[in-house]
Amino acid sequence: PPPPAPTAPAAPRRAPPAHCRPPRLGAPDVSPRAQAHRPRRRPARTMVALDDPELLACLPPAPPAPERRLGSTVSGGELDEWVQDVDAVSAQIKGIIDGTITDFGEFDKKLELKERAKQIRAEELEQRRRKFFLYGTEGKGEGTKYKWWCKRCFVEYLIDLPQNKCMRCQQSDKMMSQQDRREELMGKLDDYKKTRATHQFRKDKWIRWKKSQKLLGRSRNINYKAWEFWEPETDTEDEGDPIVPKDNPEFQAMEADIKERHRNAAEKAKTAERFRQKGNEAMKEGDFVTAIEHYEEGLEYQRGNKALWTNKALAELKVFRWHDAIASCNKVIEYSEIFEDGFKKSADSCFKAFVRRAAALRALHRWSEAAEDLEDALKLFPKDREARDLLDKTRLAAEEAAKAQCLQAEASAAATPAIVEPEPPAAAESQPASEPAPQGPIRIEIEESEDEEDATEELAAAASRSSSALAKLSRKDFRALLGRLGSTESERVLFCARRGAADMATSRKEDSRKVDLKKVEEVSEPSRLDEAIKDAERCAVLWKKRQGRVVPLRDDVKHLSGVLPEERDEEADAFLRVVAPRVVAVLHVLAVGSEHHCALTAPAVRHVWPLISSDEWRHGVLELLLEWSQRAISARTMADFAARHPEPHLRLLVDAVAKETKENMLPPGFEDRAKIAAQRFEAGAGGLEGAFDEIISGLSKSSPAELALSILGNLCVTGQGLPAFRERIAPFMAELVPALARQIKPMNWRLCGRAAGAVCNLLRLGDAFAEAVERECTQPLATALRAELGEGGEGAASAPLLRTLRQGGLPSEMLGGNVPGMDSAAVRLLAALINLLTVRPTSAQQLLELGVLDLAVRFMDPAKAREVVPEGADAEDGPEALASRAAVLAARLLSREPSALPREREADLLRHLFWRLDGAHDVARDAVAAVGSGGAPSSDLEQLELTIRTLAVLLTKTPGALDRLTQRVARIEELPDDAVVGKMATPSASDVPFDTLAARLADVACAARPRDHVEPASEGGPLSRLRGNLALLFAALCEAQGADGAPPALRDLDLAPLVEPFVDTLRKERGSVQNNVGVFVTKLAQSARYKQKVRDHNGLESLHQIQLPRVQAQKAEAERRHRIETNTDARRAEVQRIKSLRGLD
C-alpha cells in the first residue's frame, strides 16, 4: 500500500495567562492583594510521610475511571493523545514491514518505558490528591467548603485528620471546625457593628458641637472638653495612599498652602530652638530673668514645645515666682494628658514638670498637692533618688501641717496669748527631767553691764516703732521665745505654721492633674517664720544701704518720705542692731531643730549671708550658714545663691580662710576671756585650774576660719552637680587651695582636720581643682598624716599631748567642756588622699615616694587606730573608720605599684587581713540572704570585699608574696651585699598559717554562692565584686599549685570543694565578675587534678555557652570589617552610619 501522508507534529500546549491559571494544589496565593492582607504565619514544621496507613485511611476513595461508551464525548486532549498513539502504532507496523526495525528487544524496552511513564503520571496524580486532602489549602476559614481550619497555620482541611492534629504544625490546640470558625467570625462582625455605631454616634456629636460653637462665636479660651466629642472625619482607619488629582488647580493651591504651612512651622520650630538655647545660656550665667524672657519669646513661635515650658518653670523657681512656675508646669502636664493620652510618651518632660510644680507648691506650703505631684513623677521614674527623698520630706511636712492645725485649734480654744513666760524646766513636756542634757558645743554668754543693758533697751524702744514682731519684744520675752523654740517641738511647729493653710480647698481639679491657680492664689495668714524672714530681708537692705551698696534716692524724691534723713537713719540703725541678731538666733534655733524647719528657713539665705561682713554678727551668721550647708534643701539654696552672686558672698568665706588674722583664727571673745583668766591668776583667785578652765571655755566655740572651712566643704559637695557654681568658684582657686595647704600642718590641731575635709570635697569640682590640690596639698597631707603617728619633725613633740587630751588624760573639770578640733585629723587626711588618688591617678607615684603606703598599712592595725583615735569619738571619725579608710588607701596604692610595699609591712598587712577574715563566713551568708529577700547588704560586706580585694592584690601582684606565705624556697636568689657567706637565706616567716587562711577564704566563697541569677541592677555590687576577687585569688592558687616545685602547703591544698560553687556562680553572675569566675573554672579544667570534677558539674558546657556569644560577636565584627575593606557599598553604608551618629550626638 502507498505510504501514508506525513503529518505535522502536534503543536505544544500553551500555558494559560497567570490571571486565568488555577492555583497549584497546596501552593499559597502569591497575589499582591493576598500578600497585603495575609497574616504573618509561623513557618511549617516537619511534614509527616504521606504513606502512613493511618493517614491513608482518612482519605476519601479515589473516583473510578470514566467508562467509555459509544457516542460519549471525548475531550480535545484525549483525542490528540489517541491520534498520536495511532500514528505511532502505524509507524511501528510500517517499520516492521519495511525491515527498518530489526532490534525487537530495543523495541520492547521502549514500549515498557512508555508504559512506565503512564504509571508515573498516575502515581503523581495520586500523590497530589493525597497532599490536597492531608496538607490542606491555605485560607482564612471564611467559606464553607472545608471541615477543619488551623488558626496557627491558616490552613483549611476537607477531611477528618487523626487525633484532630494539623499536618503542618502537628498541634491540635488551634484546630477549629467550620461551625466554630463561623461563630467566631460572626462575633467579630457584631463587634465591628457596635464599634461602627459608636463611631457614628461620636461623629454626629462632634458635628453638633461644632455647629453650636459657630452659633456661640469664637472664644479666646481653649475649651479642652471639645476633645471628648472629636472623631475623625473618615470611617476607616487605613485608607491607603490618596488619589492625587494632578490637573486640579484647586488641589494644587491647597497643596501649595499645606507646604507653606509646613515650611512656616519648621521655621518657627527653629526660631523657638534658638530662643531656647539663648535661655539656657542665660541660665548658665545666672541671669534667670533674661532666661525667662527668652523662653517666653520662644513660646510665641511654638506653644507646644514642652522643653521651653519646663525650662521657664525652672527659671521662675530660681526667682521665686511660684505661681508662674505652677502655670508653666500646668501647660506641659495638660498638653500631655489631653493630646498624648498620658505621660509615658513625654516621660522626661512630664517628670520635670511634676517635680518643679511640686517645688513651687512646697514653697506655698501646699504639702498634700506637692506630694501628689511627686508621686506622679515617681510613677514615671521610680528609681529617682532626689524625687523619692523630696517625697518623704513632703509627707513629713504634710503630717506636721496637720499637727499644726490641731495645735492652732487648741490654742484658739484656750485663748492663750502669743507671748507667755517660759515654764520651769521641770514642767516642760518635751524635755522631762529624766532625759540627758543635750550634747554639743556649750554656748557661753558674757554678762553685760547695766550701761550696756540700758543702751540695748533704748535701741529696742526705738526699733519697737516698726511693724516687726521681733523688734517689739523685750529682751526677757525674746529669751523666753528662744527657750521655747529650742526645747519644745510644738512651739517650733506653731512658729512655722501658717494660719488657715489647712482650711484652703484643694487646688487640683477632679479627674485632672491640672492645678487651679485661682485656688493656689488664696493666701493664708503668714506665719511668724514668714515675718522673721521678712525682717531678715529688711535687715539685709538696711545693711547694704549702710555699706553703700544700694542706689541712693534722688534729691527731688527724698521729701516724699515725710521723715528727716537723720531720724530715718537713726531708726534704721536701731532696727538693724536689734532685729538682725534676733533674726539670726531664731533662724539658727529652727534650722537645728529639724530637716523640715531648716528647709522652711532656707529662703532667708540670700538675706542673711551678706551679714557676714559685720564683725558684731559674723559668728552667729557663720553658725547659721554651717547648719544650712549640712541640710540638703538649704544647701542647694546656698549653692544656687552663691552661683548667682559669688561676690561678695564667696569672697567673704574665702577671706575668712585665707587671711590669717586673729579675728579669723580665734573664737569670738577669746581675748577677753584670756585677759580675765590672766587677771584672776595674778590676783590669786581660782588658781591654775580656774585659769585653765577659763581658757578652755574660751576655746569651746569654733573660730570663723573653722566655720568658713566647713561651709566651703559642704558647698563643694552640693555644688559639684551645678556647672554655674563650679564656674563661679573657679576664680577663687588660686587663693583658696594654697590657703588650705597652709592650714594642713601638724601643729594646727583646730584647722588641720577641717582643711583636709575641705580638700576632700574640693577635689569634686573638676580637673583644675584636682591639679591644684595635687600640686599644693600632697606634701602637707602626707606630712600631717605622719605626724598623727608621732613621727616626723614638726608636730612630733606635740603628738603625745594631743593624744592625752583626746583620750581624756586630763580631768574633765579642767577641760571645761568639749573643745572643737581635739578630734584626730587622721580620718579626714586619709579621705583627702583617697579622693586625690581617685581623681588624679598620677599622684600615686608621689604618694608612694612620700611613704603613704607604709603609713596606711600601719593605720590598719586596730591597736594603732585606737591609739590615734579614742573610742569615744564619733562613728565617722572613730577607730573603725580610720582603719577602714586606711585599708582603702592601701589597696589602691598597692594595686598601682605592688612592689612598693616593704617586707615588714607585708607581714603586718597579712596579719591584719587574716584577722579581718575571722567571722567573714557569717557576713557573706547574711549578705546573700539580704539580697535574696530584696534588702540591702550591711556595711560589713563592704569591709569584707575590701579585705578580699587587698588580699588578692597582695598575693597575685606583689612579687614573691605568695611564695613567702607558703614558705617556698627559691632555687636562685640574689644575696644582698651585707649577707653572711655560708648562711642560707630563708624566706621571711609569717605568723599567718596558709592552710587556715585558705580555709577561711573557701568558707567565704561557699557562703557567697548566689541563690538566684544576678539582676542587672545588682551587677558590680559589693557581693559580686567579692565573688570576682575570690575567683582571681583562687585562680592564682590553682596555677601556682600546678607549677613545678610547688611547696607542700600548696600541694596539700584541695580546691575540689570549690568546683561546684564556682560553676554555679559562673552560670548566675554577669559582666566582668563572670569573666573572673570563668578564669578560675578554666584553670580548674586545665588541671588534671580537678578536670573530671569540672566535667561532672558541666563546667565545660557552661564555659562554652558563655563564651559562644562573645566569639560569635567577634566573628561578626571581623566579617563586617572585611566587608567594609572589600566592598564599596558596605564602605559607603558605614560612612553614612557614622555621619548619622555624629549628627545625633
Side-chain angles (χ1 to χ4, degrees), residues 176-192:
M176 299 179 64
S177 64
Q178 190 269 338
Q179 183 64 26
D180 294 340
R181 175 59 176 169
R182 181 172 179 81
E183 292 177 358
E184 183 184 28
L185 292 177
M186 294 304 294
K188 291 184 178 180
L189 179 61
D190 294 339
D191 294 341
Y192 173 73

Side-chain angles (χ1 to χ4, degrees), residues 827-946:
V827 179
R828 299 186 183 184
L829 291 170
L830 288 172
L833 291 172
I834 291 171
N835 283 8
L836 176 62
L837 189 61
T838 303
V839 178
R840 297 287 293 180
T842 56
S843 62
Q845 186 62 35
Q846 186 179 0
L847 294 177
L848 291 172
E849 294 174 358
L850 293 172
V852 175
L853 178 58
D854 178 73
L855 298 176
V857 173
R858 294 168 65 183
F859 276 116
M860 290 174 64
D861 186 6
K864 180 63 68 175
R866 286 190 295 270
E867 180 183 347
V868 175
V869 180
E871 291 289 347
D874 296 336
E876 295 182 356
D877 296 331
E880 287 295 329
L882 177 62
S884 173
R885 293 190 179 181
V888 173
L889 181 60
R892 295 187 179 181
L893 286 174
L894 195 61
S895 61
R896 298 284 180 183
E897 189 62 40
S899 60
L901 185 65
R903 293 285 183 87
E904 60 274 11
R905 296 298 170 231
E906 179 184 313
D908 295 341
L909 182 58
L910 272 175
R911 281 192 297 269
H912 172 71
L913 296 176
F914 179 74
W915 173 78
R916 285 275 184 179
L917 288 176
D918 187 16
H921 174 271
D922 298 333
V923 175
R925 182 187 56 202
D926 295 342
V928 172
V931 172
S933 60
S938 62
S939 58
D940 295 336
L941 180 64
E942 295 282 354
Q943 299 298 326
L944 177 59
E945 189 275 328
L946 179 62

Side-chain angles (χ1 to χ4, degrees), residues 745-748 783 787 791-798:
K745 51 188 177 181
M747 292 297 296
N748 195 357
T783 303
E791 300 178 0
E794 184 181 3
S798 63

Side-chain angles (χ1 to χ4, degrees), residues 918-1047:
D918 187 16
H921 174 271
D922 298 333
V923 175
R925 182 187 56 202
D926 295 342
V928 172
V931 172
S933 60
S938 62
S939 58
D940 295 336
L941 180 64
E942 295 282 354
Q943 299 298 326
L944 177 59
E945 189 275 328
L946 179 62
T947 301
I948 298 297
R949 188 201 322 163
T950 308
L951 189 60
V953 173
L954 179 63
L955 297 182
T956 60
K957 294 186 178 181
T958 304
L962 183 59
D963 296 339
R964 288 186 289 272
L965 178 62
T966 57
Q967 299 295 319
R968 177 179 179 178
V969 180
R971 296 183 179 180
I972 300 176
E973 183 176 357
E974 183 179 355
L975 296 177
D977 296 335
D978 55 351
V980 179
V981 180
K983 184 177 180 180
M984 185 177 64
T986 58
S988 59
S990 174
D991 55 356
V992 176
F994 175 74
D995 53 349
T996 308
L997 176 64
R1000 290 184 179 181
L1001 291 174
D1003 291 341
V1004 174
C1006 294
R1009 179 178 178 179
R1011 297 181 179 179
D1012 301 317
H1013 288 275
V1014 178
E1015 299 179 356
S1018 302
E1019 181 181 355
L1023 194 56
S1024 294
R1025 297 198 303 268
L1026 175 68
R1027 300 182 187 120
N1029 291 327
L1030 281 172
L1032 290 180
L1033 182 56
F1034 280 115
L1037 294 179
C1038 182
E1039 185 177 5
Q1041 189 181 54
D1044 295 335

Side-chain angles (χ1 to χ4, degrees), residues 39 43 74 100 146 150 277 293 389 433 774 789 797 832 850 930 1042 1065 1120:
V74 182
T100 56
Y146 66 94
C150 181
Q277 296 293 342
E293 294 175 356
D389 294 342
E774 181 185 4
L789 289 172
L850 293 172
T1065 304
R1120 187 183 68 85

